[in-house]
Amino acid sequence: MSSWKKLLKEETERSVKNLKLSDEVRNAPVSVREKQETIPTKTGILTRIAAGVSSFFGKLFQKRAVAAALACAVCLCVAVPSVFAIINASKGEPCAVVLEINPGVLFLTDKKGNVTGVKSLNSDADVILADKNVIDELEGKPLAKSAEIFIDYALRLGFFDYESDENAIKFTAEKDLPFIEESVTAAENYFCEKGVYSAVIKDITSSETLSEKAGVTAAGNKLGSSASNLSVLYGARDVSDLKKAYDDNVVVGLYDLVKNKLPNIVEAAKLLVCMQIKNLEIKALTFKDYWSIKDEDSGLIVSALKKDMEELIAEYSARTGGKNEIVSSTGLSNAIYAYSELFGKVTEDTVIEDYITNIKEYFSSLTTGDFRNVDKMIVALLERTDVDTMGFESLTRVPETIKEYEKDLRKILSELYVLREKAGRENYSASREQISAESYAEYKNRILADYGSFDNYWASIKK
């Protein structure tokens, strides 16, 4: 106790010595100053003592505060990793949920139902997931929201029949977790808002069945862990044989593109054949081609032929965004050459309707196997029918590396996306009356009455 008093006394004396006088006190007469200094009041003493005590304990508190802060820092260093470990542990092993529309997709989620990964299950899904921005849009959200986004892409790209009520999608999982049911409800609400009738089916199945749907082998019954290492794109999964991967995915994709472009190919052929015949008619009358006399004054018959020719050239150019304007007789010959390689040459005796019929019949019977033998010639047709397909000659040769293959795969998938989105834009944007909850319930009841179960309905429409 005596040591404490001694410290208090020394601290008080130091505090008194270090006190700063106010200007009023310093400027006061000496007598007054002396009186104030020699006759301290009881209040002044107490104030000085209090200041000394405060300063002493303030320093003591600062030392203890520093020690406490260091202790807290040590605790944080130990605790923060533990907190993150708890957070990570709460996620646990990823759950796997298959969504079939078609296209088919595998969602990997944490235990709370937040999407941690997305994997394509077929080439149709590849068309949607080829854009990495779509992956970013799907990941990190609750399964119900991610599934709704994916369904919307499928609707946008024409994978649903708007005019039919025979549509269905299926969620398949190993456990009936709450977020699975939430996803089913969200999907039903989405279809009702869009005015599209589609059944939403939930299937809780075994790990083996789910693995089979996902196309992977579940190691130790942990499908999510096995699937997390898969490539996002189905077409980029098995590339041990690049030739086979190229044939199965790039060539097939290019074949699908050509089949979908058939209206453009036929229309371009019709315009080119008409130009060729019209040019032959002009030659028969003038002994010159159209481009040699287009700026000359001509008689009524030749002028009428020239006017027809101008209109054909303008329409053909418009179909290709102005990139394929026919500006000479040689240009016309080169443009029609791709067609003549496959469908014969055009002469004055050519019947346009018969020529076009031959093109339609050729493509209607064209298989992917046949396509591989003539893909270079058909790509030449694409180059003359649509500006968006320029440069596809690079897709008619087998790539030498996996990197080149994946680049080609993404190119063809991107073109297929553009094609499908363009074709489905009008239907997707059309205004439809929303489906009420009562009408949707009646729709589901009719399915059960007609098929006995949603599984039977699914099997019927997915034959």
Side-chain angles (χ1 to χ4, degrees):
M1 198 68 170
S2 58
S3 62
W4 178 84
K5 288 181 178 180
K6 184 177 179 180
L7 287 171
L8 177 58
K9 181 179 179 183
E10 291 173 355
E11 185 63 32
T12 303
E13 288 174 354
R14 280 196 300 272
S15 299
V16 171
K17 287 179 181 180
N18 293 331
L19 283 175
K20 292 184 179 180
L21 299 176
S22 65
D23 292 339
E24 183 182 355
V25 174
R26 282 200 302 271
N27 296 329
V30 176
S31 58
V32 175
R33 213 184 295 167
E34 289 176 349
K35 187 180 292 185
Q36 288 178 344
E37 291 174 356
T38 56
I39 312 175
T41 63
K42 188 181 293 184
T43 304
I45 293 172
L46 290 174
T47 301
R48 292 175 184 178
I49 291 172
V53 172
S54 174
S55 177
F56 170 76
F57 281 106
K59 291 181 179 179
L60 186 62
F61 176 79
Q62 288 176 358
K63 292 178 181 178
R64 291 183 177 178
V66 171
L70 289 172
C72 288
V74 172
C75 290
L76 284 172
C77 289
V78 174
V80 168
S82 300
V83 170
F84 282 111
I86 291 170
I87 292 173
N88 290 332
S90 68
K91 292 183 178 180
E93 291 294 333
C95 300
V97 182
V98 169
L99 171 59
E100 298 170 89
I101 293 179
N102 197 27
V105 64
L106 173 66
F107 288 105
L108 301 178
T109 77
D110 59 25
K111 285 189 175 180
K112 294 181 179 179
N114 296 313
V115 174
T116 58
V118 186
K119 312 293 180 180
S120 169
L121 296 183
N122 53 32
S123 55
D124 286 337
D126 277 355
V127 176
I128 296 174
L129 300 181
D131 187 343
K132 293 178 180 178
N133 291 327
V134 175
I135 303 297
D136 293 337
E137 193 177 354
L138 295 172
E139 291 183 346
K141 294 181 174 66
L143 176 63
K145 185 60 181 177
S146 293
E148 180 182 322
I149 293 171
F150 188 84
I151 294 167
D152 188 71
Y153 274 109
L155 204 69
R156 186 190 304 269
L157 299 186
F159 288 107
F160 285 86
D161 185 349
Y162 294 88
E163 307 307 321
S164 172
D165 60 1
E166 291 191 351
N167 295 303
I169 68 171
K170 181 192 280 190
F171 288 93
T172 304
E174 187 180 356
K175 296 178 181 178
D176 194 3
L177 299 168
F179 60 81
I180 306 292
E181 185 60 35
E182 290 171 8
S183 301
V184 170
T185 302
E188 290 182 339
N189 291 337
Y190 170 83
F191 286 124
C192 287
E193 289 174 9
K194 285 289 183 180
V196 176
Y197 280 99
S198 176
V200 182
I201 302 168
K202 179 176 68 175
D203 182 21
I204 306 304
T205 188
S206 66
S207 177
E208 291 75 15
T209 301
L210 188 60
S211 298
E212 186 178 348
K213 282 181 177 289
V216 296
T217 302
N221 291 329
K222 293 182 179 179
L223 172 59
S225 299
S226 301
S228 60
N229 296 321
L230 290 175
S231 299
V232 170
L233 296 180
Y234 178 79
R237 228 153 268 169
D238 185 6
V239 291
S240 56
D241 184 342
L242 276 180
K243 174 68 167 61
K244 184 176 184 305
Y246 163 80
D247 284 346
D248 290 346
N249 298 292
V250 177
V251 172
V252 170
L254 191 56
Y255 170 80
D256 288 342
L257 185 69
V258 169
K259 297 285 275 191
N260 282 284
K261 289 282 187 183
L262 183 56
N264 284 358
I265 292 172
V266 169
E267 187 59 31
K270 186 185 297 184
L271 291 169
L272 289 170
V273 171
C274 287
M275 277 188 251
Q276 185 81 322
I277 293 175
K278 197 69 63 176
N279 193 45
L280 289 171
E281 291 176 358
I282 292 173
K283 274 187 176 182
L285 294 173
T286 66
F287 303 101
K288 295 180 181 180
D289 63 54
Y290 161 78
W291 291 272
S292 299
I293 64 164
K294 69 173 185 173
D295 296 324
E296 297 178 2
D297 291 332
S298 306
L300 292 176
I301 297 176
V302 174
S303 294
L305 292 173
K306 284 165 61 176
K307 187 174 185 302
D308 292 342
M309 190 71 162
E310 288 171 7
E311 291 175 354
L312 291 169
I313 292 172
E315 186 177 350
Y316 182 80
S317 177
R319 292 192 68 81
T320 60
K323 300 292 183 179
N324 280 341
E325 184 175 0
I326 306 298
V327 296
S328 67
S329 180
T330 302
L332 176 60
S333 298
N334 290 338
I336 206 167
Y337 177 76
Y339 289 89
S340 61
E341 282 278 274
L342 292 169
F343 313 112
K345 293 183 179 181
V346 177
T347 67
E348 287 182 277
D349 297 328
T350 299
V351 178
I352 296 174
E353 288 74 15
D354 292 344
Y355 197 83
I356 298 305
T357 299
N358 290 340
I359 294 176
K360 290 179 178 178
E361 289 178 351
Y362 174 84
F363 280 107
S364 65
S365 61
L366 184 67
T367 65
T368 53
D370 296 332
F371 178 78
R372 288 186 181 93
N373 298 324
V374 293
D375 56 1
K376 291 182 181 179
M377 285 185 279
I378 293 179
V379 166
L381 296 183
L382 288 181
E383 289 181 338
R384 287 162 174 78
T385 57
D386 196 313
V387 67
D388 293 334
T389 56
M390 295 293 182
F392 270 86
E393 67 277 359
S394 65
L395 300 182
T396 59
R397 52 99 183 106
V398 180
E400 297 180 358
T401 66
I402 293 175
K403 186 176 181 180
E404 288 178 356
Y405 164 73
E406 290 191 359
K407 182 180 178 182
D408 288 348
L409 177 63
R410 288 185 181 278
K411 181 178 177 64
I412 194 68
L413 291 172
S414 296
E415 287 296 326
L416 286 169
Y417 180 97
V418 171
L419 183 71
R420 293 195 70 106
E421 193 276 334
K422 186 177 180 180
R425 191 177 299 162
E426 185 176 348
N427 267 337
Y428 178 80
S429 302
S431 178
R432 292 180 179 80
E433 185 178 348
Q434 292 188 4
I435 301 170
S436 67
E438 294 77 12
S439 296
Y440 191 74
E442 291 175 3
Y443 164 67
K444 292 198 294 184
N445 288 334
R446 284 200 306 272
I447 291 175
L448 291 174
D450 293 341
Y451 294 91
S453 71
F454 286 115
D455 286 339
N456 291 340
Y457 174 67
W458 175 265
S460 174
I461 67 172
K462 294 298 178 180
K463 283 181 181 178

